[in-house]
């Protein structure tokens, strides 16, 4: 088992160093060779033909689960102020009897039990993919898109994970 607090400090220090580093580090965000409206970067290299070529190599006897288990205490970016993975009960049969949240009365709550739970976590935990809007320099992200123009209250309006095509490629 590794010490997640130490790992977090190392990762945050690396991130800060890469963003404010000296001449060895990029001073501007990457510009796309696929044009000024590109939102997927090198994923433009994945084509129907390249997917078919990879899929033709599969013989089907093995599969690989790339997911990770989510658990309380799993590594996260808490050092950067982000919330840890949390799971809790929102409703239990006895709690519903006591509080009657739907105002249906004790008899109905005793007859129909209700159990519910909730999960809260930072989106950058476990199995995920970083979109091209994940990091930037000087208020801009991939391809020179500016936060002032493309970052709204609900998140980035450009280069999000929803723009990524199905990724079928050699790993």
């Amino acid at each position: 088992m590794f010490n997640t607090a130490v790992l977090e400090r190392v990762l945050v220090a690396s991130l800060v160093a890469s963003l404010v580093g000296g001449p060895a580090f990029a001073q501007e965000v990457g510009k796309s060779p696929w044009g000024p409206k590109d939102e997927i970067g090198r994923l433009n290299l994945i084509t129907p033909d390249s997917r078919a070529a990879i899929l033709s190599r599969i013989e089907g006897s093995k599969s690989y689960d790339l997911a990770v288990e989510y658990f309380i205490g799993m590594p996260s970016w808490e050092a950067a102020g982000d919330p840890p993975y949390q799971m809790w009960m929102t409703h239990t049969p006895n709690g519903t009897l006591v509080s009657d949240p739907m105002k249906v009365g004790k008899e109905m709550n005793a007859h129909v039990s209700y159990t519910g739970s909730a999960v809260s976590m930072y989106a950058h935990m476990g199995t995920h993919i970083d979109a091209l809007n994940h990091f930037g320099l000087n208020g801009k992200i991939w391809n020179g898109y500016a936060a002032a123009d493309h970052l709204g209250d609900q998140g980035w309006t450009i280069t999000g994970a929803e723009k990524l095509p199905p990724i079928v490629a050699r790993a």
Side-chain angles (χ1 to χ4, degrees):
M1 192 59 123
F2 57 90
N3 184 326
T4 57
V6 171
L7 176 63
E8 286 175 0
R9 285 194 295 274
V10 169
L11 291 173
V12 168
S14 297
L15 169 64
V16 170
S18 70
L19 292 177
V20 299
F25 295 99
Q27 298 298 310
E28 293 185 29
V29 294
K31 296 287 183 165
S32 175
W34 291 278
K37 294 189 182 284
D38 177 42
E39 297 185 56
I40 63 171
R42 294 183 61 84
L43 291 181
N44 282 289
L45 297 173
I46 297 176
T47 65
D49 288 341
S50 72
R51 285 187 194 101
I54 290 298
L55 292 173
S56 73
R57 296 171 57 187
I58 297 172
E59 53 93 5
S61 66
K62 293 182 184 177
S63 64
Y64 300 93
D65 182 358
L66 301 180
V68 296
E69 296 291 323
Y70 289 89
F71 57 91
I72 294 173
M74 70 183 293
S76 69
W77 284 94
E78 291 175 60
D82 297 311
Y85 178 82
Q86 302 171 64
M87 184 172 186
W88 64 96
M89 300 302 300
T90 59
H91 301 280
T92 62
N94 190 61
T96 300
L97 272 173
V98 171
S99 63
D100 192 16
M102 297 178 69
K103 308 295 184 228
V104 296
K106 190 168 191 147
E107 184 178 340
M108 181 57 77
N109 285 318
H111 176 61
V112 178
S113 62
Y114 174 51
T115 302
S117 59
V119 173
S120 173
M121 61 184 248
Y122 180 51
H124 201 259
M125 296 178 80
T127 306
H128 69 280
I129 188 166
D130 289 339
L132 290 175
N133 57 25
H134 186 53
F135 278 105
L137 293 169
N138 304 315
K140 294 182 179 177
I141 57 170
W142 166 255
N143 218 12
Y145 295 119
D149 299 326
H150 300 285
L151 182 58
D153 287 341
Q154 304 300 305
W156 287 94
T157 61
I158 202 155
T159 70
E162 73 281 359
K163 304 291 176 118
L164 303 179
I167 300 173
V168 178
R170 187 171 179 266

